[in-house]
Amino acid sequence: MKLRATLTGFAAILMWSFLALLTAASGKMPPFQLSAICFAIGSVPGIVVLILKPERLKLLRQPAKVWIVGIAGLFGYHFLYFTALRNAPAVEAGLIAYLWPLLIVVGSALLPGERLRWYHVTGAIAGLAGTILIVGRNGFHFEGAYAIGYCAAFLCAFTWSGYSLLTRRFDAVSTDVVTGFCLATSVLSLACHVGLETTIWPETILQWIAVVGLGLFPVGAAFYAWDYGVKNGDIQILGAASYAAPLLSTLILTLFGFAEPSWGIAGACLLVTGGAVLAAHRMILRRPSEPQAAIAE
């Protein structure tokens, strides 16, 4: 059960690695408009399930704190991320925002039944080092003029790590509720778009395909998979493995001609892969007959 849930969480990380490629292929649509459309698409699978199985509607009746955490997590993260990119260089903002996997690993020590081990922290730090190689391959230039953007990026990291850790505490809450989170995020993103942006629609069929792909996978199914993974899987391993997303994203962009291969990418591969394997080595080496609880020992 725990292994299957952890692998489901890995699927979310894999889908997020296609976020940059599909976003680049989606044209010049403003971020909040894109977010509104993609989260609306992402809610469709959940809506279909609720239509086919109306008895599951009762699973949406959750305490207010569940809805606050979910909506703040999904909408808050994207609002802060877009704010960071608007007010600071993408490289530095992206690096700061990607502190969230390390925060998940360290913060997991506060969760009931979890124990933080040296290999969890070391694996997460190795992943962070690999991420630095990826996002900083053209150098870093931290400047005081971008303080608002940097602050937004820090809050972005704390928002997503906090959402993931708190979701773990709501392990009895059905993943069906993510459908509601996506719908609410779509509505709030639409409100931000109307107030802050000018509407721009995709110009080609390929751009529309990219938008739909974003909504179905990185901004859709990935959130359902992540919810199930952090609730039922090994959240420390998932936190460390999350550093694979920017690496895989860069490799995919390179494969499709949006980036150039380099020794820095090769070094990042070793750091991120090695860090993830180190963090997960107890689960990887566990014998089939060994109980899941032994992994935490």
Side-chain angles (χ1 to χ4, degrees), residues 65-211:
K65 62 183 179 181
V66 173
W67 287 99
I68 292 172
V69 168
I71 296 172
L74 268 65
F75 176 73
Y77 171 83
H78 289 85
F79 178 84
L80 290 167
Y81 187 70
F82 293 151
T83 300
L85 293 183
R86 284 174 178 269
N87 293 278
V91 171
E92 288 82 3
L95 174 60
I96 295 171
Y98 234 91
L99 288 172
W100 66 261
L102 183 60
L103 293 174
I104 287 178
V105 173
V106 176
S108 65
L110 302 175
L111 295 173
E114 298 291 350
R115 299 176 65 183
L116 188 63
R117 297 290 191 176
W118 67 268
Y119 47 81
H120 293 131
V121 177
T122 304
I125 292 175
L128 177 60
T131 301
I132 291 174
L133 281 179
I134 289 294
V135 301
R137 57 189 181 276
N138 295 319
F140 299 97
H141 304 282
F142 289 98
E143 299 180 20
Y146 303 128
I148 293 177
Y150 295 154
C151 288
F154 269 116
L155 291 174
C156 183
F158 279 99
T159 297
W160 190 252
S161 59
Y163 164 74
S164 299
L165 292 168
L166 289 171
T167 294
R168 176 71 169 219
R169 299 184 69 91
F170 299 146
D171 58 325
V173 177
S174 172
T175 296
D176 290 84
V177 77
V178 175
T179 302
F181 298 163
C182 287
L183 279 173
T185 300
S186 176
V187 172
L188 291 172
S189 296
L190 178 60
C192 288
H193 166 64
V194 171
L196 300 172
E197 299 173 335
T198 300
T199 301
I200 300 176
W201 295 106
E203 299 175 349
T204 67
I205 295 296
L206 287 178
Q207 289 180 359
W208 274 112
I209 291 174
V211 171

Side-chain angles (χ1 to χ4, degrees), residues 27 33 50 99 156 166 186 191 202 211 217 222 252-253 278 284 287:
Q33 181 187 357
L50 293 175
L99 288 172
C156 183
L166 289 171
S186 176
V211 171
F217 299 107
I252 291 169
L253 289 171
L278 177 62
I284 295 172
R287 297 176 181 177

